[in-house]
Amino acid sequence: MKSSNEGDYWLDRPGSVDKVYWSVWIGCAALLLVEPLIHMHAEVSIAQWFGFNGLFGFVSCVALVIAAKWLRRFLMRPEDYYDR
Amino acid sequence: MTAEFSPGLTLILGSALLPLLPVRLRGAYTVALPLLGMLQLAMLHTGETGQLDFLGMELVLLRVDRWSMLFGWIFMIAAALSAVFALHVRSALQQAAALAYAGSAIGAVFAGDMITLFVYWELTAVTSVALVWARGTQASYRAGMRYFLMQLLSGMLLFFGAIAFYQQTGSVRFDHVGLHGLAGWLIFLAFGIKCAFPLLHNWLQDSYPEATETGTVFLSAFTTKLAVYALARGFAGTEILIPIGAVMTAFPIFFAVIENDLRRVLAYSLNNQLGFMVLGIGIGTELSLNGTAAHAFTHILYKALLFMSMGAVLYRTGTVKGSELGGLYKSMPYTTAFCIIGAASISGFPLFSGFVSKSMILSAAGAGGYIVAWSVLLFASAGVFHHSGIKIPYFAFFGHDSGKRCEEAPRHMLVAMGIAAALCVGIGVYPAPLYAILPFPVVYEPYSGSHVLAQLQLLGFSALAFAVLMRTGIYPPEMRSVNLDTDWVWRRALPAVGEAGANFVGAAQGLLGRRAARIGSTLLAWVVRHHGADGWLAQPWQTRGMSLWVLVLLLGYLVLYYI
């Protein structure tokens, strides 16, 4: 189905995905580095700790995915499960 | 057009005229009617009109205040945008049902009493199911039926609740209800079903992905947000809504991560977003209620935008299964861009609409000291970015290139998505007009440096988690599958119990069969002897016998008279 005269896409080039991947790391590092420059205030005291939001985001997403993957054992059925 | 005429009725009555129009005018008509409705909204004045005495109960057909106006406006905008998106549809039934559905939801938010609310409440069920059935598949027929039954159950509970409320208070006026007595609980449950409370939720994930590519866009806007409106008016500050809302924000995201049908992923995330609103209602402060109202407003726009982008993919490729898609950014670059804007909005990126509304609810939870609820909301915020913000665009438009090549979405779909995307960005950049129409005066500034950085860190590290999990291969791949949810109870467990019951009855019949047959034949013989063709009671009686018996009776009467 792919046509041969398809345009050249940056994401298809070797190494591009790596660049995206490492730029996420760099972006996150930058977000942590600027934190001391900004006066953090929040309604909940724990949210004012250094790096709290980043750590919370990372840990909760990893936990979410691992838990959901584990749930597949109990919840996943073949696509025609209800039609049989 | 008099002042008593509900803007909802404009759409409902207008939809009845649609089949009479020539086919080529119908599309334009479906867009023009909501625009006419907006004109009518702009002319409404605060206050109550259309009082009507019905069986001794006072009905208020049109109540205009800040709550009803806010929802009236966003419903009308959603109706217009969805109608633009559906301009290619040629089925008069679908077009008329969609208009009438939007009209019913609008009529319901302007209803000042529970009887009027009930009538519109039921109308939303009847009209919306047509959008599911319009898909025309067996699966959509069955899912539509299950959806319809749940909606009717909600309506029935509301009706009984309204009657009980009338008996308790002598009024059917719809203001704060609270969980007092039977009436309160019945009404609460009715709203809870329509709002997809945990365990009552599955009609949503079951039916929305089975509707047509345009039908789901309409469905996503009205039913559940009508329930949010009703809860906010009837149960603000009801504490039980805090744990309910917290559970609602958290559990659907686990399902969303492993779900393959991308429109079903969106349905789970819709459920999760409703949780934010329900929690805001439970806290019940001015800030949290403002947050709920604002979040309903922004949510309708970005959710419609996300469903539009997946609808466009379905329209062009014939599927929205994550396992079969990927690499579509090459074929549908505009749709990709609009989808990413919707994804950024639902995730609450600064400068997008979700940020300015969701943060009000989080702040209200934190300020109220609801630490557990607050941390669940934070978890859900990270999770929603993970599955709606990244997963949807990634598996549909990027990820593994499926080799599918198709045309870009049709122009009218791009226009609808473009307007919705512009509104998402517009509200995010300049929230003041939205804040100005919220139910309570707003003293809230979303764009503080601390707040923006905290949100960016949360989202940035969630993205990092996704990237790391993808690269290490831990992230579960999209697979052709279904996941069990509560619908398993009525699609598998209950039928199985019914089958077992039928088998038991059959076995019992076999066991008792011979004896039962003997008793039956004896009984039948007795009946035939008396009532059969030759039976005693069927024989003709002679006249002289009759006159003899009459004589005996008369004599007996005479004797009794003299005693």
Side-chain angles (χ1 to χ4, degrees), chain B residues 450-468:
Chain B
S450 143
H451 193 186
V452 169
L453 182 65
Q455 182 71 3
L456 283 177
Q457 285 180 341
L458 184 78
L459 298 178
F461 279 84
S462 303
L464 183 64
F466 183 85
V468 170

Side-chain angles (χ1 to χ4, degrees), chain B residues 529-554:
Chain B
R529 199 162 62 239
H530 289 85
H531 295 269
D534 298 324
W536 179 69
L537 282 169
Q539 283 170 8
W541 293 356
Q542 288 176 344
T543 320
R544 56 179 183 185
M546 285 292 286
S547 44
L548 180 73
W549 280 111
V550 169
L551 197 69
V552 169
L553 278 174
L554 283 175

Side-chain angles (χ1 to χ4, degrees), chain B residues 2-11 40 61-62 103 106-108 110 120:
Chain B
T2 66
E4 289 88 22
F5 197 78
S6 169
L9 281 178
T10 307
L11 298 197
Q40 197 185 348
L61 300 186
L62 190 68
I106 294 165
F110 282 105
Y120 284 119

Side-chain angles (χ1 to χ4, degrees), chain B residues 324-487:
Chain B
E324 292 164 33
L325 293 172
L328 280 180
Y329 77 95
K330 296 172 182 171
S331 311
M332 308 175 85
Y334 290 107
T335 308
T336 308
F338 292 139
C339 179
I340 290 174
I341 293 176
S345 301
I346 194 173
S347 312
F349 261 97
L351 301 181
F352 293 89
S353 62
F355 179 72
V356 302
S357 55
K358 192 194 290 180
S359 51
M360 294 173 103
I361 301 173
L362 269 148
S363 294
Y370 301 100
I371 301 300
V372 177
W374 174 84
S375 44
V376 174
L377 287 188
L378 206 58
F379 167 69
S381 301
V384 75
F385 174 52
H386 205 85
H387 67 72
S388 273
I390 305 178
K391 175 175 173 166
I392 294 280
Y394 181 82
F395 283 108
F397 300 111
F398 301 100
H400 165 74
D401 192 338
S402 62
K404 279 189 198 302
R405 296 293 179 267
C406 59
E407 274 184 77
E408 176 58 276
R411 188 174 296 165
H412 65 275
M413 289 190 176
L414 291 178
V415 169
M417 287 190 270
I419 299 172
L423 286 169
C424 286
V425 177
I427 293 171
V429 173
Y430 185 56
L434 172 63
Y435 285 176
I437 58 168
L438 294 182
F440 304 100
V442 177
V443 272
Y444 186 76
E445 178 47 62
Y447 287 112
S448 68
S450 143
H451 193 186
V452 169
L453 182 65
Q455 182 71 3
L456 283 177
Q457 285 180 341
L458 184 78
L459 298 178
F461 279 84
S462 303
L464 183 64
F466 183 85
V468 170
L469 291 169
M470 267 294 168
R471 202 169 175 94
T472 49
I474 296 173
Y475 199 89
E478 296 297 285
M479 292 161 107
R480 299 179 64 103
S481 60
V482 292
N483 293 306
L484 304 185
D485 199 336
T486 51
D487 57 344

Side-chain angles (χ1 to χ4, degrees), chain B residues 96-393:
Chain B
L99 278 179
Y101 171 41
S104 319
I106 294 165
V109 297
F110 282 105
D113 68 276
M114 292 179 195
I115 301 297
T116 313
L117 177 71
F118 161 75
V119 171
Y120 284 119
W121 195 265
E122 290 289 60
L123 262 179
T124 60
V126 175
T127 49
S128 59
V129 74
L131 299 174
V132 183
W133 283 338
R135 184 92 178 270
T137 59
Q138 265 296 317
S140 73
Y141 172 73
R142 292 205 208 109
M145 201 51 113
R146 291 189 290 270
Y147 166 82
F148 196 41
L149 286 175
M150 286 302 270
Q151 298 301 311
L152 291 187
L153 180 65
S154 161
M156 221 160 65
L157 290 169
L158 176 59
F159 183 71
F160 287 126
I163 301 282
F165 190 79
Y166 180 64
Q167 288 193 323
Q168 273 177 23
T169 64
S171 156
V172 287
R173 213 186 139 68
F174 180 41
D175 277 319
H176 186 78
V177 179
L179 285 176
H180 309 297
L182 179 69
W185 280 99
L186 284 174
I187 296 168
F188 185 72
L189 205 58
F191 293 174
I193 291 177
K194 242 185 170 66
C195 200
F197 279 4
L199 301 182
L200 306 173
H201 65 282
N202 196 236
W203 58 265
L204 196 165
Q205 292 86 348
D206 186 16
S207 62
Y208 282 16
E210 299 296 343
T212 61
E213 74 276 355
T214 56
T216 312
V217 178
F218 279 100
L219 287 167
S220 76
F222 302 111
T223 299
T224 48
K225 260 61 72 185
L226 169 59
V228 165
Y229 159 82
L231 275 173
R233 209 187 261 288
F235 296 93
T238 303
E239 290 241 312
I240 194 175
L241 287 173
I242 297 174
I244 290 176
V247 173
M248 263 170 100
T249 58
F251 92 88
I253 58 183
F254 292 93
F255 282 88
V257 169
I258 51 177
E259 178 58 52
N260 186 28
D261 184 322
L262 295 182
R263 289 204 298 173
R264 191 159 280 131
V265 174
L266 287 179
Y268 277 111
S269 88
L270 201 172
N271 207 176
N272 141 288
Q273 295 296 300
L274 292 172
F276 282 87
M277 300 173 215
V278 168
L279 205 145
I281 296 168
I283 294 170
T285 58
E286 289 196 355
L287 176 61
S288 77
L289 289 171
N290 269 343
T292 293
H295 204 47
F297 196 97
T298 59
H299 163 92
I300 286 175
L301 291 171
Y302 60 66
K303 201 81 224 181
L305 175 56
L306 285 167
F307 271 120
M308 282 181 197
S309 67
M310 287 303 112
V313 168
L314 177 65
Y315 183 70
R316 281 305 192 211
T317 68
T319 181
V320 278
K321 300 223 165 89
S323 56
E324 292 164 33
L325 293 172
L328 280 180
Y329 77 95
K330 296 172 182 171
S331 311
M332 308 175 85
Y334 290 107
T335 308
T336 308
F338 292 139
C339 179
I340 290 174
I341 293 176
S345 301
I346 194 173
S347 312
F349 261 97
L351 301 181
F352 293 89
S353 62
F355 179 72
V356 302
S357 55
K358 192 194 290 180
S359 51
M360 294 173 103
I361 301 173
L362 269 148
S363 294
Y370 301 100
I371 301 300
V372 177
W374 174 84
S375 44
V376 174
L377 287 188
L378 206 58
F379 167 69
S381 301
V384 75
F385 174 52
H386 205 85
H387 67 72
S388 273
I390 305 178
K391 175 175 173 166
I392 294 280

